[in-house]
Amino acid sequence: MSLTYEFEQKENVLLVRLTGELDHHEAEQLKNDWQLYLREGVKHVVVNLENLHFMDSSGLGVFLGRYKEVKELNGEMVICAINYDVNRLFELSGLFKIIDTEDSEDAALARLGVAL
Amino acid sequence: MSNHMRVEFAAKSENESFARVTVAAFIAQLDPTVEEMTEIKTVVSEAVTNAIIHGYEQNEEGIVLVECFIENQEISLTIQDFGNGIANVEEAIQPMYTSKPELERSGMGFTIMENFMDQFEIESIPHQGTTVKLRKKFLKNQSAYN
């Protein structure tokens, strides 16, 4: 199973939905595509991992890299709908200490002030 | 129960998913939990990715060897490359350490292997390669159907 993803902009929030498996092979392309969307008008990012079934430390690297870019825009990054397995990896990495999480996409968008 | 498998493949990033799915299929005979299965897939992915990125620096002519032994409820897993080797293993296994920050590596690969497995060992010789040896005992399936 490979990785597919979609980007959507809601007000000043870039919404990224990932489906499938995120490993080193998929990480480079995801990073390049993601950076294309971090353009004018985008300040915050919401990442929806509801359908991400597998991730290794390459995924942590991608999120950390985008987190730094969002911080440069003075924005926030919220990761939502993380499943049990992927959550363990985030816990282990300590990334939760800097990146905010929410249970659902709606909650994440609301947190960043997007009118639903 | 005792069993054994060995597979070798080109050091191409496409083969990271091949490697973890192959090992997962092999250990399915132990009837692992979903959590155990994820742990094994993750550590295989980490070790194979290291071989490709660090061992061979993405030279796809390199060969990665994955071997798995099952002995009763315990597996021993070996992931080997014949590439650069690691000059300082102590440094390499530190959490958040990466020799390639420009590639957005998180530096968590070895930490994940240590956490998800019972035993973890690295043998590395500069210019000859790196072997990662991992062991894990699987809980007997508690299912009432057994």
Side-chain angles (χ1 to χ4, degrees):
Chain A
M1 191 185 207
S2 57
L3 181 77
T4 57
Y5 41 86
E6 56 181 41
F7 299 95
E8 191 183 335
Q9 193 174 332
K10 288 178 183 273
E11 299 176 23
N12 64 354
V13 177
L14 174 67
L15 176 57
V16 187
R17 296 191 188 97
L18 303 182
T19 300
E21 304 196 344
L22 173 53
D23 62 8
H24 156 247
H25 177 65
E26 305 287 353
E28 182 76 13
Q29 192 62 48
L30 172 62
K31 171 195 165 184
N32 292 338
D33 290 341
W34 192 332
Q35 282 177 326
L36 291 177
Y37 284 89
L38 282 176
R39 59 196 170 197
E40 216 168 311
V42 170
K43 186 173 184 191
H44 308 294
V45 172
V46 167
V47 189
N48 184 338
L49 299 186
E50 186 178 358
N51 295 310
L52 189 72
H53 304 297
F54 175 85
M55 185 179 93
D56 65 16
S57 70
S58 303
L60 296 173
V62 175
F63 295 133
L64 200 54
R66 302 297 74 66
Y67 170 79
K68 288 175 184 165
E69 289 165 356
V70 168
K71 279 286 148 190
E72 277 171 29
L73 302 169
N74 291 316
E76 300 292 334
M77 183 158 135
V78 182
I79 300 184
C80 67
I82 310 171
N83 74 33
Y84 177 79
D85 289 327
V86 174
N87 196 63
R88 282 184 73 199
L89 218 61
F90 275 106
E91 292 273 2
L92 199 56
S93 71
L95 223 58
F96 283 152
K97 289 180 190 138
I98 55 171
I99 297 180
D100 294 323
T101 61
E102 286 288 353
D103 290 339
S104 70
E105 189 177 293
D106 282 353
L109 289 168
R111 184 188 184 118
L112 295 171
V114 175
L116 299 172
Chain B
M1 177 168 58
S2 142
N3 203 350
H4 170 223
M5 73 84 136
R6 179 183 165 104
V7 57
E8 71 166 54
F9 49 87
K12 293 166 81 88
S13 62
E14 291 89 330
N15 287 334
E16 291 155 7
S17 60
F18 165 77
R20 63 176 180 265
V21 170
T22 301
V23 174
F26 181 69
I27 64 157
Q29 59 197 290
L30 289 174
D31 211 1
T33 62
V34 174
E35 184 168 324
E36 288 167 334
M37 199 61 124
T38 301
E39 289 168 340
I40 296 301
K41 284 168 78 174
T42 309
V43 300
V44 170
S45 208
E46 299 296 344
V48 170
T49 300
N50 278 350
I52 291 171
I53 296 180
H54 302 287
Y56 295 117
E57 297 195 312
Q58 323 235 30
N59 175 357
E60 298 185 346
E61 286 169 18
I63 293 290
V64 182
L65 187 64
V66 174
E67 210 170 0
C68 186
F69 286 87
I70 295 176
E71 196 65 53
N72 298 321
Q73 282 295 111
E74 187 173 41
I75 67 161
S76 47
L77 191 58
T78 303
I79 296 98
Q80 187 171 12
D81 71 65
F82 309 92
N84 293 332
I86 303 167
N88 186 341
V89 172
E90 279 306 306
E91 181 182 54
I93 63 175
Q94 295 305 312
M96 317 296 271
Y97 171 81
T98 178
S99 58
K100 296 198 186 300
E102 72 283 5
L103 293 183
E104 288 197 342
R105 308 305 308 162
S106 64
M108 292 302 293
F110 284 130
T111 304
I112 289 166
M113 291 183 229
E114 275 185 300
N115 269 274
F116 283 4
M117 302 296 282
D118 299 335
Q119 277 183 53
F120 160 81
E121 196 181 315
I122 306 176
E123 290 167 10
S124 190
I125 303 173
H127 314 300
Q128 289 191 29
T130 300
T131 303
V132 176
K133 294 182 175 179
L134 303 161
R135 293 173 83 89
K136 187 178 182 70
K137 206 172 175 74
F138 287 71
L139 299 172
K140 276 261 188 246
N141 193 324
Q142 304 289 317
S143 156
Y145 300 103
N146 270 2

